[in-house]
Amino acid sequence: GENVEQHPSTLSVQEGDSAVIKCTYSDSASNYFPWYKQELGKRPQLIIDIRSNVGEKKDQRIAVTLNKTAKHFSLHITETQPEDSAVYFCAATKTTGGFKTIFGAGTRLFVKA
Amino acid sequence: DTEVTQTPKHLVMGMTNKKSLKCEQHMGHRAMYWYKQKAKKPPELMFVYSYEKLSINESVPSRFSPECPNSSLLNLHLHALQPEDSALYLCASSQVSGVIDEQYFGPGTRLTVT
C-alpha cells in the first residue's frame, strides 16, 4: 500500500551545524510534498513544500530537494538554532481520487546550544 | 483570517457517551480533513471532504461519523468509543484549485475515552 518512510527517527546536532532528513514515498501518483514542524503540544505547521514539477526549493535556512525518479525527497536545515528543536514530518499528497496525504513517522531534532 | 479553530480543546468521555468535535475555518477553503494523532506518532488521515462531499474515508470505524454542514464547518460525531480511541484529533483545511495546496491545521481536540 501507500507508504512514506522517514529517516532518521532522531537527530542530534550542535547549534550552527546542518541537519538533513530524508524521506521515500511509494505512490508514484503523489504530486505534492510538504514538510511540517510540530512542537510539543502544538499543531503541525508547514515549513516548506515542493511540487512534483520542481526539483529544489529554498527558503532562507531551509531547503527541500525532490528526486521523482527515485521517489526521494529531503529537508535540509542550515545554521541550526535551538528553536529548530521539534519533530519534523515529511508527507506525500496525491490529488487523484481525493486529496490524500500520508505522513512519514517523524524525526525528532535536537539542537544543542 | 488564516486560522482553523477547533472545539472543545479537551474532552473526556465514557464509552457509552455521544459527543461531537467541531472545526471551523473562514479562509474559503473547500477541502477539510480529520486526522487522528497518537502520542509520538504522525497524524493519520481519517476523512476528507471536498466541496462538502465526503471524498475519502480511510476505513474508519463507524463509531466515528463525520459531517460537513457547510463549507466552513466540519464535525466529527463520536459514539461508543473505545479507550484506544484516545488521541489528539486534528482538523485541517486547504484550497482546492486543481492542485493541492497547504493544509492549515487547527490546534486539535485532545480526547480521552474512559
Side-chain angles (χ1 to χ4, degrees):
Chain A
E2 300 136 336
N3 187 43
V4 175
E5 291 191 6
Q6 183 172 344
H7 298 281
S9 55
T10 306
L11 180 58
S12 186
V13 300
Q14 205 65 38
E15 182 178 2
D17 287 351
S18 295
V20 179
I21 301 171
K22 298 185 178 186
C23 289
T24 304
Y25 61 99
S26 62
D27 191 342
S28 55
S30 298
N31 54 6
Y32 174 70
F33 305 91
W35 286 86
Y36 290 91
K37 176 183 181 182
Q38 189 174 29
E39 297 176 73
L40 191 64
K42 297 201 173 173
R43 71 189 84 186
Q45 293 210 293
L46 183 80
I47 55 170
I48 196 167
D49 56 11
I50 192 166
R51 300 186 194 283
S52 58
N53 59 350
V54 175
E56 187 172 350
K57 184 177 177 180
K58 190 173 180 182
D59 182 4
Q60 299 182 351
R61 296 186 297 110
I62 296 172
V64 58
T65 58
L66 171 65
N67 182 329
K68 274 177 57 180
T69 304
K71 297 184 195 167
H72 288 167
F73 56 117
S74 300
L75 177 72
H76 303 249
I77 306 174
T78 57
E79 301 170 27
T80 54
Q81 300 164 3
E83 50 267 37
D84 293 332
S85 298
V87 178
Y88 290 81
F89 292 103
C90 64
T93 299
K94 65 178 181 181
T95 51
T96 52
F99 298 102
K100 182 168 182 176
T101 296
I102 296 177
F103 282 76
T107 296
R108 188 167 295 276
L109 175 64
F110 297 96
V111 180
K112 295 176 283 187
Chain B
D1 183 4
T2 57
E3 194 176 2
V4 176
T5 58
Q6 288 187 246
T7 55
K9 288 185 180 178
H10 301 275
L11 178 63
V12 179
M13 60 186 289
M15 289 190 283
T16 57
N17 292 158
K18 280 186 184 181
K19 295 286 185 184
S20 296
L21 310 184
K22 295 187 185 303
C23 174
E24 192 166 1
Q25 56 88 15
H26 295 288
M27 294 178 277
H29 291 170
R30 301 308 296 272
M32 296 186 77
Y33 312 76
W34 280 115
Y35 288 88
K36 173 183 178 180
Q37 187 176 27
K38 301 279 266 184
K40 299 187 179 181
K41 295 290 185 184
E44 193 179 320
L45 185 65
M46 300 174 72
F47 303 104
V48 181
Y49 275 83
S50 177
Y51 292 96
E52 296 96 73
K53 287 192 167 57
L54 184 65
S55 61
I56 294 178
N57 176 342
E58 287 290 279
S59 303
V60 179
S62 59
R63 57 187 185 267
F64 295 92
S65 175
E67 179 196 18
C68 190
N70 60 55
S71 60
S72 300
L73 292 173
L74 185 66
N75 298 322
L76 187 63
H77 303 298
L78 314 172
H79 173 55
L81 295 193
Q82 304 296 309
E84 58 265 28
D85 297 321
S86 298
L88 180 68
Y89 287 84
L90 292 161
C91 172
S93 70
S94 73
Q95 290 279 16
V96 175
S97 54
V99 293
I100 190 70
D101 209 338
E102 175 182 355
Q103 288 186 40
Y104 290 80
F105 281 86
T109 293
R110 190 160 297 282
L111 174 68
T112 304
V113 181
T114 60

